Amino acid sequence: MLDKIFCVDDDSITLMLCKKVIERAEFAKEIVTAQNGEEAIQYFHDLAEKQKAGASISYPKLTLLDLNMPIMNGWEFLDTYLQCGYQDLFKEAKFIVLSSTIDPHDVNQTKNYPIVIDFMSKPITKEMMESLKSKHQ
Amino acid sequence: MKNNSNKITLTYVLILMFVAVVGHKVVLNYSSNSSSETLHKYYYIEDLVLILFSGIVFKFILFRNDLKNKSVFQKLQVINNEIIESNERYDIVAKATSDTIWDWKIESDSFVWNKGIQGVFGYKKEDVGKTSKWWFDRIHPEDSLKMSVKLYSFLEQKTEKWQDEYRFKCADGTYKYVFDRGFLVKDKDGKPIRMIGAIQDVTKQKEEEQRLRLLETVITQTKDAVMITDIDTTENVIPNIIFVNSAFTDMTGYPAEEVIGKSPVLFFGQKSDILEFDKLKTAIQEYKECFIEMISYKKSGEEFWVNFSMIPVTNKDGEHSHWISIQRDVTEEKEKQKEREQLIRELTQNNKDLKQFSYITSHNLRAPLSNLTGLLNLLDDMTIEDQELKEIINGFTKSTHLLNETINDLVKVVIIKDNPSIQKEKVLIKEVFENVFNQLSFLISLHKPILKIDLEEVTILNINKSYLESIFLNLLTNSIKYRATTRQLRVNISSQVVDDNLILTFKDNGIGIDLERNRDKIFGLYQRFHNHPDSKGLGLYLVKSQVEAMEGTITVVSEVGKGTTFTIIFKNS
C-alpha cells in the first residue's frame, strides 16, 4: 500500500472514479488530486519549497497523469517537471500516464520519459491496480 | 588514182612514140645510100635503143612513184599513231569517269556503246543492241515519255548540248539513276547527223538526295516548332535565327521573314522565369544542350508555356556550327499539372483534417465512455436490492459495453486506415491460433465446438501479428455466435501453400449467410444480416480492412442453413 498517490485529471468524474477504485483496491492511504498540469506543478513546487525550508515532506511515490488537460497538458507538465529538476528532488516519484488516447504516437512518446513507468488506458479498474501492485512491488 | 595511172601510161606511150619517130627519122637519114643489110642493122640498133630508152623512162617513172608512196605511207603512219593514241586516251577517260559513252548516227540509226554498258550496267557484249530503240527500250517507263519529249525538242531546236536524268535498266532488270549528257553534231545545213553522249551512274547521289528530302520533310512537316540559329553570341546571349519551320509560325504567330536574323530573346518577356533563362544562357556559353520550360510570348502578345530545347550541332569537321531548338507549346499540360497539384494539395489537407478529426472525436468519445465504464464497474461490487433498479442498471451496463466495443472497433479501423505501412514480422500461424483459443477459452468451453485444425506444420507468414490475431478472433467469434442451434458447431481451419500464396480456409457449419441478398454488403460497415442481439455489423468490416492492410484478399462462400467458408489468401513473400 502506497502512502500517497497523486491523480491529475481535468475530469472530476474520472477523479472520483480513481479515488473509489484506489480505495477499493486498498492501493494507497492518501489520495491527492489536481485538475490540470499547472496545478500539479504547483503542488510539486510547494513540496520542493517545503523541503528546502528543511521540513521533511512526503511526496507521492506514484502519480496517475492524464494527457488531455487544459492550461497545461500531460506532456507540458512532464517537460516542466523535468526542467525544474524534480526527478532528482523526488527520487522515488514515478508517473503512469492514464489516458483514453488511441494515438499510437502518444503511446510511443511515453517511452521518451524515463520517469513514466507505464501507460494505462482508461477506465481505471481494480484489476489494473492489483496488477500494478504485483508488477511494481 | 585511176587518173594517175592513165596519165603515166599516156606519158610513157607518148615518150616512146616520140623516141621511135626520132629514131626512125635518124635511120632514114643515115640509110639513104646504104644497102639493105645495113638498113637491117640500123633498124636492129634502133629497136635496141628504143627498148633501152623505154626501160630508163620506166624506171624513172617507177622511182618517182615509189617516192610518192613512201611519203604518203609515212604520213599515214603518223596519222595512225595519232589515232591509236587518241583511242587510248578515250578509253582511259571512259574508264576514269566510268561514263558509258554512246554514239548515235541519226540517219542510219546506228547506236554504238563503249565498254561502260557492260561494266556499269552488266550487259554482255552480245546482248547490247545496235539501234537507238535498244536504248529507248531500257529507259524506265515513268521517265521515258518525259525524256523523249525533251530529247526530240532538243533535236529540233538544234542546240548543241543536251542533258537529262532518267532511270536506265540494267541487265538484271533493276533500274539505275543516270545523268546523261549529249553533244550534237550537225552537217553544214544544220541538220543533226550524229550525237554522242556520256551516261553517269548517279544512283547513290539520287538516293542520298531522296534521303535528305525525306529528312527535310521531317522538319518542314512536323508539328513541333523547329528553329536553327548560328553560334554568334556577340549581339545577344542567344544567337540569331537562320531558319524556322512552319510549325514555328503556327505556334508563335511570327512568319519566318520576321524572325530570321533576330535573336530568340525577343520571345521572352516579363513573366518568363529568369532562372530558366539563365540556364539557357549558361548552356549556350558552354556549348551544352539544354531543356527548359518557361513562359514565352506570341506575336500577339499572348502568353504561353513553351518546352524549349537547345542542342549544339557540329559540322562534319567536328566544329560547332549551329544550334537547333525544338519547341512545343505545353500550356495545356502545364494547366492540367497545376490543377492536379492543387487537387493533391487539397486532398492531402482534407485527409489530414479528417484524420485529425477522427482522432480527436474518438478521443473525446472515449473519455466520457471510460468514465461510464468505470462507474459501472464500481457498481459490480455493490449489492442492489431493488429488482427494477437492477434491471435498469443491467441494461445500462450492456449498452455501455456495446458502445465501448463499437468505439474500440472504430478506433481500430481508423488506425488500420491510417497506417499504410504496418509492422510486419515472421509469425507462426499455429501460435496465433493458440493465442486466440486462449482468449476465447470461456466461449469455447461453453459451446464446445468441434475444432479441426489442419495447418501445414511450418506455416510462417510475414505479417502483422496483432492483425492476424484479430482476424482469427473475429472469425472464430462469428462462427460461435452464429452457430446453428440444431447441431453441434464444427469449425474447420486449414492452410495450404499454392505457388507463392498462402491460402487459409475458415469453415463452419453455422446458420450461413444469404449471399444472394447480401453479397455486396457482407464486408460492409454496420451491415447485419439477421437479428442476433450481439452483432454490431463491424466484425467482418474489420476483418476485411485488416486482411487488405496486409495485402491479402478475403472471399466468402455460404449457404443458408448449411454454413459459411471464408478464404483468405496472403502472398508468401
Side-chain angles (χ1 to χ4, degrees):
Chain A
M1 173 110 88
L2 280 178
D3 284 333
K4 226 184 224 179
I5 190 168
F6 191 13
C7 294
V8 186
D9 200 312
D10 61 327
D11 190 343
S12 51
I13 300 182
T14 312
L15 285 175
M16 186 254 296
L17 254 170
C18 276
K19 260 180 148 164
K20 290 234 185 283
V21 170
I22 291 169
E23 275 166 17
R24 299 253 179 112
E26 289 177 357
F27 191 77
K29 290 190 199 138
E30 196 186 331
I31 302 167
V32 194
T33 62
Q35 291 233 284
N36 57 54
E38 196 171 270
E39 277 184 29
I41 271 292
Q42 190 59 42
Y43 176 78
F44 279 109
H45 184 73
D46 292 339
L47 279 183
E49 292 289 295
K50 279 205 204 116
Q51 196 172 58
K52 254 198 255 171
S56 72
I57 48 104
S58 85
Y59 60 84
K61 297 241 177 51
L62 188 61
T63 306
L64 297 176
L65 182 66
D66 184 25
L67 287 178
N68 253 10
M69 298 181 287
I71 305 174
M72 188 192 280
N73 66 26
W75 300 122
E76 287 164 358
F77 165 79
L78 284 169
D79 290 332
T80 318
Y81 183 89
L82 291 171
Q83 249 179 357
C84 297
Y86 290 152
Q87 72 275 35
D88 300 316
L89 205 52
F90 310 114
K91 286 208 176 53
E92 287 181 58
K94 296 291 173 213
F95 291 80
I96 290 179
V97 170
L98 183 67
S99 185
S100 45
T101 185
I102 46 149
D103 196 343
H105 176 253
D106 280 334
V107 182
N108 281 335
Q109 271 282 77
T110 60
K111 302 203 179 107
N112 292 340
Y113 297 88
I115 51 172
V116 177
I117 57 171
D118 210 343
F119 183 102
M120 295 200 300
S121 277
K122 287 188 194 169
I124 190 170
T125 60
K126 221 167 88 176
E127 290 77 26
M128 280 159 90
M129 296 278 97
E130 304 278 328
S131 75
L132 256 185
K133 255 201 230 169
S134 46
K135 223 191 335 184
H136 296 285
Q137 217 59 333
Chain B
M1 236 9 192
K2 287 198 181 126
N3 287 344
N4 213 19
S5 72
N6 280 347
K7 246 200 302 194
I8 292 175
T9 317
L10 204 60
T11 318
Y12 181 65
V13 164
L14 281 173
I15 291 178
L16 279 183
M17 265 191 181
F18 177 69
V19 170
V21 165
V22 164
H24 188 67
K25 280 268 164 35
V26 165
V27 166
L28 271 179
N29 246 7
Y30 280 109
S31 67
S32 49
N33 49 355
S34 314
S35 62
S36 60
E37 210 184 280
T38 342
L39 213 64
H40 282 305
K41 257 202 210 149
Y42 280 141
Y43 280 135
Y44 187 53
I45 293 172
E46 189 207 340
D47 282 337
L48 288 176
V49 171
L50 191 65
I51 290 169
L52 205 64
F53 203 69
S54 97
I56 293 172
V57 172
F58 193 55
K59 173 79 174 109
F60 182 67
I61 292 175
L62 280 180
F63 181 67
R64 272 202 49 211
N65 216 28
D66 258 349
L67 278 177
K68 222 202 283 176
N69 275 350
K70 223 185 235 159
S71 84
V72 166
F73 186 67
Q74 270 178 352
K75 264 206 214 113
L76 277 177
Q77 188 91 297
V78 169
I79 291 177
N80 216 28
N81 281 340
E82 277 181 8
I83 290 179
I84 288 179
E85 210 179 301
S86 180
N87 264 357
E88 258 175 28
R89 199 180 295 134
Y90 165 77
D91 270 340
I92 292 173
V93 162
K95 273 208 196 106
T97 59
S98 2
D99 280 1
T100 303
I101 315 274
W102 47 265
D103 188 346
W104 183 22
K105 291 205 182 60
I106 298 175
E107 287 281 300
S108 54
D109 196 27
S110 139
F111 213 91
V112 177
W113 296 87
N114 81 334
K115 290 211 195 68
I117 190 73
Q118 298 164 38
V120 177
F121 298 99
Y123 286 101
K124 293 213 203 83
K125 199 152 175 219
E126 45 282 13
D127 299 331
V128 178
K130 298 207 172 40
T131 63
S132 62
K133 184 171 182 305
W134 190 88
W135 176 42
F136 281 122
D137 281 345
R138 271 150 192 78
I139 296 175
H140 195 284
E142 284 171 19
D143 301 328
S144 69
L145 185 64
K146 197 166 41 94
M147 184 261 185
S148 11
V149 163
K150 201 164 165 195
L151 181 64
Y152 281 110
S153 70
F154 161 74
L155 286 174
E156 264 162 50
Q157 286 169 23
K158 297 168 187 150
T159 41
E160 284 185 341
K161 297 214 186 92
W162 163 82
Q163 66 182 48
D164 203 353
E165 272 181 26
Y166 53 89
R167 279 164 283 181
F168 193 80
K169 199 200 280 191
C170 301
D172 62 3
T174 60
Y175 282 92
K176 276 196 180 8
Y177 273 100
V178 298
F179 179 54
D180 197 351
R181 283 166 297 180
F183 186 84
L184 193 61
V185 179
K186 296 183 283 234
D187 63 8
K188 55 181 178 333
D189 298 325
K191 190 160 130 228
I193 49 170
R194 189 171 175 197
M195 190 161 157
I196 298 187
I199 297 180
Q200 229 179 5
D201 178 2
V202 293
T203 314
K204 279 216 181 62
Q205 287 97 307
K206 245 318 191 262
E207 285 175 358
E208 183 67 22
E209 218 180 271
Q210 281 178 337
R211 197 178 71 88
L212 285 174
R213 210 167 288 145
L214 184 64
L215 290 176
E216 199 186 88
T217 59
V218 168
I219 295 181
T220 50
Q221 310 242 344
T222 177
K223 294 280 175 254
D224 288 341
V226 176
M227 179 179 85
I228 304 181
T229 70
D230 61 31
I231 49 170
D232 182 7
T233 50
T234 51
E235 265 178 53
N236 289 296
V237 288
I238 309 180
N240 292 341
I241 300 173
I242 57 175
F243 168 81
V244 291
N245 69 347
S246 56
F248 180 89
T249 310
D250 291 340
M251 184 178 85
T252 60
Y254 287 105
E257 317 81 74
E258 284 184 33
V259 293
I260 289 185
K262 302 218 180 80
S263 166
V265 292
L266 69 91
F267 302 135
F268 303 125
Q270 250 188 352
K271 295 221 188 122
S272 309
D273 190 350
I274 282 285
L275 291 172
E276 291 286 285
F277 189 74
D278 280 344
K279 237 166 100 181
L280 184 60
K281 206 166 80 172
T282 320
I284 289 178
Q285 283 164 0
E286 295 178 358
Y287 291 137
K288 286 211 186 99
E289 59 181 32
C290 166
F291 300 91
I292 59 168
E293 244 179 39
M294 57 200 246
I295 291 188
S296 180
Y297 291 85
K298 299 192 189 185
K299 182 172 176 185
S300 61
E302 189 187 325
E303 288 171 17
F304 68 101
W305 276 94
V306 68
N307 183 320
F308 192 105
S309 74
M310 199 79 163
I311 301 170
V313 166
T314 53
N315 60 17
K316 53 182 160 47
D317 296 324
E319 286 169 359
H320 179 62
S321 59
H322 298 92
W323 289 95
I324 290 188
S325 168
I326 300 186
Q327 303 161 24
R328 203 180 285 158
D329 182 337
V330 293
T331 313
E332 240 184 85
E333 284 107 306
K334 258 303 197 260
E335 291 291 309
K336 289 216 185 89
Q337 199 186 358
K338 255 201 232 142
E339 273 175 33
R340 229 177 297 142
E341 282 169 12
Q342 176 71 0
L343 192 64
I344 291 177
R345 256 197 305 264
E346 279 174 16
L347 282 172
T348 315
Q349 185 61 30
N350 247 8
N351 219 27
K352 229 171 93 188
D353 291 344
L354 277 171
K355 248 191 271 181
Q356 197 61 357
F357 183 72
S358 52
Y359 271 138
I360 293 172
T361 315
S362 71
H363 181 273
N364 286 356
L365 285 171
R366 294 183 95 216
L369 196 52
S370 68
N371 279 348
L372 281 171
T373 315
L375 289 167
L376 285 169
N377 284 342
L378 284 177
L379 280 174
D380 278 344
D381 293 337
M382 298 164 64
T383 39
I384 302 160
E385 299 296 340
D386 190 326
Q387 274 308 101
E388 213 183 341
L389 186 58
K390 232 183 183 172
E391 225 182 295
I392 292 174
I393 291 187
N394 256 347
F396 218 120
T397 313
K398 279 220 184 92
S399 293
T400 310
H401 278 139
L402 201 56
L403 182 58
N404 205 20
E405 273 176 43
T406 307
I407 294 199
N408 280 344
D409 286 342
L410 275 175
V411 158
K412 277 196 215 140
V413 168
V414 167
I415 292 182
I416 296 170
K417 295 287 183 198
D418 186 29
N419 277 339
S421 57
I422 49 166
Q423 186 199 12
K424 286 194 190 172
E425 51 179 329
K426 282 206 182 317
V427 174
L428 193 59
I429 303 200
K430 263 186 104 184
E431 213 180 276
V432 176
F433 262 116
E434 279 162 13
N435 237 338
V436 168
F437 293 148
N438 277 338
Q439 287 185 48
L440 294 178
S441 57
F442 174 67
L443 271 180
I444 291 175
S445 62
L446 187 61
H447 300 291
K448 297 195 184 47
I450 301 176
L451 298 166
K452 186 162 170 284
I453 319 288
D454 197 3
L455 298 173
E456 282 180 13
E457 201 34 76
V458 196
T459 321
I460 301 179
L461 268 185
N462 198 15
I463 41 161
N464 184 301
K465 195 172 185 174
S466 56
Y467 278 16
L468 192 63
E469 211 176 282
S470 165
I471 290 168
F472 286 162
L473 197 65
N474 260 306
L475 288 179
L476 193 52
T477 318
N478 272 1
S479 295
I480 296 177
K481 245 197 264 180
Y482 305 119
R483 70 192 179 285
T485 44
T486 51
R487 51 180 177 263
Q488 175 106 50
L489 174 63
R490 280 175 176 280
V491 178
N492 278 6
I493 306 167
S494 64
S495 77
Q496 245 190 323
V497 177
V498 174
D499 294 336
D500 223 6
N501 299 324
L502 175 71
I503 305 178
L504 285 166
T505 328
F506 208 99
K507 183 166 179 230
D508 71 38
N509 65 345
I511 57 175
I513 308 164
D514 185 348
L515 279 183
E516 268 173 44
R517 278 177 74 188
N518 300 312
R519 181 171 291 281
D520 298 331
K521 298 192 278 183
I522 184 155
F523 291 114
L525 195 51
Y526 292 131
Q527 299 292 345
R528 293 178 293 149
F529 313 113
H530 43 65
N531 273 332
H532 269 240
D534 289 349
S535 68
K536 288 180 261 110
L538 266 181
L540 284 180
Y541 179 75
L542 199 58
V543 166
K544 183 161 183 260
S545 302
Q546 285 165 334
V547 166
E548 284 175 359
M550 298 193 282
E551 288 162 5
T553 55
I554 179 167
T555 47
V556 60
V557 170
S558 181
E559 205 182 316
V560 175
K562 291 274 176 67
T564 312
T565 309
F566 287 96
T567 313
I568 306 177
I569 303 178
F570 287 115
K571 269 212 253 304
N572 208 0
S573 55

